[in-house]
Structure formats: structure tokens, C-alpha cells
Amino acid sequence: MEEVQIIIGVPGKWKNRTELIQAVASNGDGYLMAGYIIHNTKKDVCFEVEVYEHDPHLTEAFSYAGSFEDGLLDEIEHHTLTVYVIANINGFEDLKELVDVGASLLKSGGLAVKVETAGIAHTKDEWFQLLENKDYLSIYSHFVTLIGDEESYFSCGMKAFELPDVMTSSSISPEEAADLLNNFNLYNIIEQPSFKEGETFSLEQNSPLYKIAFINECRYEKEDVFFNPFGFIHLFQA
């Protein structure tokens, strides 16, 4: 099984690393930062962290990755540090723990959360809503995004669930593609079927049939943060 790393980034306006560590200790729901880790001894949970100084390109990255009001983007523009949490994911429970540690950083002065491995970003309120309801659909919608180009529509981020991303032709409408890709991904996450090459899939009894083909990761190099080691499932209209 391939090792899967999911990375979230949380910018804040802490004066320095010491203030960040103190803020987490005071407000982080039992999490503590020490060296290159953030851990919760009561839950026996530990993640690797990296802390970076101000990034002049961060505001632009957040503006592309989510829907943010100008006031929040201005706060992100004036961030001093960004905490990156690097999580080795081995199942759905690990994703829930990653949601928790992201929330602990927000409670400690973080401004927003960006899932670096999917290129999707969320406000505090959106992340706290996820914290209250960590079901499959909610976590999927926060960790997976859909992308379209001239040739195809495809998902990005399914490696968080240790599954392939999915793609289909751009010959269908964006709305149809979103419905197809999201429902296929959720079915794959929740039901965990054993798809075989050449099998067909449809959303409903009278919906169009799509033939399943497995392909290797074709969009990102192995070193790219978006690279999915589980590859792609290509849905061709049958």
C-alpha cells in the first residue's frame, strides 16, 4: 500500500514561533507543539508540522482555492507564519483527526485552512462546521475538489481516502460532470466496491452508462503535492 500524505496549511498572525506554541498550549483543545510535531497525549495523536515565515504569494493562493471575503484576504495578506500539518493517512479516522488538529490551530489564532494536497481552502466557519459533522460527505467536500479543462473534468484529492481520482470527457456539461464525479467518488468511498476494468456505472437506472478504465496518474509528477499514487478511473460513455 502506498503511503499517503495529506497536508493542510493554516496561516496566522502570531508574532513568532514562541507565541504560536503558547497559543496552541492555551487554546488548542489539548494539542501541544514541540519541535517539528503537534501532538495530543490524551488522544495519542501526533502529526509532523513545518512552520514558514510570511509568504507574499499566500493570499493569491487562498483566493484561487476558496471563496473569501476581502476582509479575510486582507488578514491573510498580513499573516506572519503558516503552520503546515503533514499527516500520514491510513483510514477515515485519520482524516477526522486531521480535521481536529486543523480546528485546534484555528482556535489558537489561525485564519483559515488550505488543503494543500487538493488545492481547496476553507474559512474558519466552514472548518468548524466540518468539525461538528465529520461524516463522509462533509469530509469529502472539504478534501476533494473538481477541475475542468478543454478535454476533461476530473477530481483532485481522493488520495485522502486512499482511492483513485476520477475523470470524464468534457463533452458533457459542467453540471452533469460534477454530478457524475461527485456521486461516483462518494459511492467509491462509502460502498468500497471492487470495480473491474470494463465494468459499467450509471447514476440511476435510466441514466447514461459509463465504462470504467483504470489509468496511471497522468496529470502530475510524483513529486507534485497533487500526485495521486492510486491513479485515475476514467469514465467513458458506453
Side-chain angles (χ1 to χ4, degrees):
M1 179 67 70
E2 295 272 0
E3 182 181 81
V4 179
Q5 285 192 334
I6 303 301
I7 303 170
I8 62 171
V10 182
K13 294 194 285 186
W14 305 282
K15 291 179 182 177
N16 49 45
R17 190 183 179 102
T18 299
E19 184 174 281
L20 164 63
I21 291 170
Q22 291 172 344
V24 172
S26 299
N27 305 296
D29 291 339
Y31 283 90
L32 297 171
M33 282 186 64
Y36 294 97
I37 63 169
I38 184 168
H39 65 103
N40 187 314
T41 53
K42 290 182 180 179
K43 298 173 68 176
D44 192 26
V45 173
C46 182
F47 296 103
E48 179 184 350
V49 294
E50 294 181 2
V51 181
Y52 285 82
E53 301 288 335
H54 177 85
D55 178 355
H57 304 294
L58 195 68
T59 305
E60 183 179 17
F62 267 81
S63 68
Y64 284 134
S67 179
F68 297 99
E69 295 181 354
D70 290 342
L72 178 53
L73 289 175
D74 185 63
E75 285 199 80
I76 293 172
E77 177 67 28
H78 292 90
H79 78 281
T80 53
L81 302 172
T82 301
V83 183
Y84 291 96
V85 181
I86 303 162
N88 294 317
I89 300 299
N90 292 295
F92 190 64
E93 292 303 314
D94 288 347
L95 281 177
K96 290 182 178 181
E97 297 294 352
L98 185 55
V99 172
D100 288 351
V101 75
S104 76
L105 289 168
L106 292 175
K107 292 175 182 178
S108 303
L111 300 171
V113 178
K114 184 166 179 275
V115 181
E116 301 292 332
T117 38
I120 183 171
H122 309 284
T123 65
K124 269 188 183 183
D125 286 345
E126 289 168 343
W127 201 262
F128 287 150
Q129 287 172 11
L130 174 61
L131 183 67
E132 294 300 315
N133 185 20
K134 293 180 285 188
D135 60 16
Y136 285 115
L137 175 59
S138 299
I139 289 186
Y140 170 80
S141 65
H142 283 73
F143 281 84
V144 179
T145 190
L146 302 182
I147 303 169
D149 58 26
E150 291 183 357
E151 296 181 351
S152 61
Y153 301 103
F154 57 97
S155 64
C156 180
M158 282 293 286
K159 67 178 178 180
F161 300 93
E162 301 173 277
L163 290 169
D165 277 291
V166 62
M167 63 192 302
T168 194
S169 169
S170 61
S171 60
I172 61 176
S173 72
E175 294 77 17
E176 288 176 300
D179 196 35
L180 174 65
L181 300 186
N182 283 329
N183 278 284
F184 182 89
N185 280 337
L186 285 166
Y187 178 71
N188 207 6
I189 291 168
I190 296 168
E191 300 298 333
Q192 300 180 354
S194 297
F195 289 121
K196 293 181 174 62
E197 184 83 17
E199 282 186 338
T200 56
F201 173 86
S202 66
L203 294 179
E204 297 175 352
Q205 187 173 357
N206 296 320
S207 297
L209 277 176
Y210 289 87
K211 188 174 289 187
I212 291 170
F214 293 91
I215 59 175
N216 292 328
E217 168 67 82
C218 58
R219 294 190 171 272
Y220 305 107
E221 297 296 328
K222 192 169 185 178
E223 297 76 20
D224 196 297
V225 72
F226 297 139
F227 177 82
N228 186 342
F230 304 100
F232 270 90
I233 291 176
H234 197 160
L235 298 178
F236 296 93
Q237 283 191 313

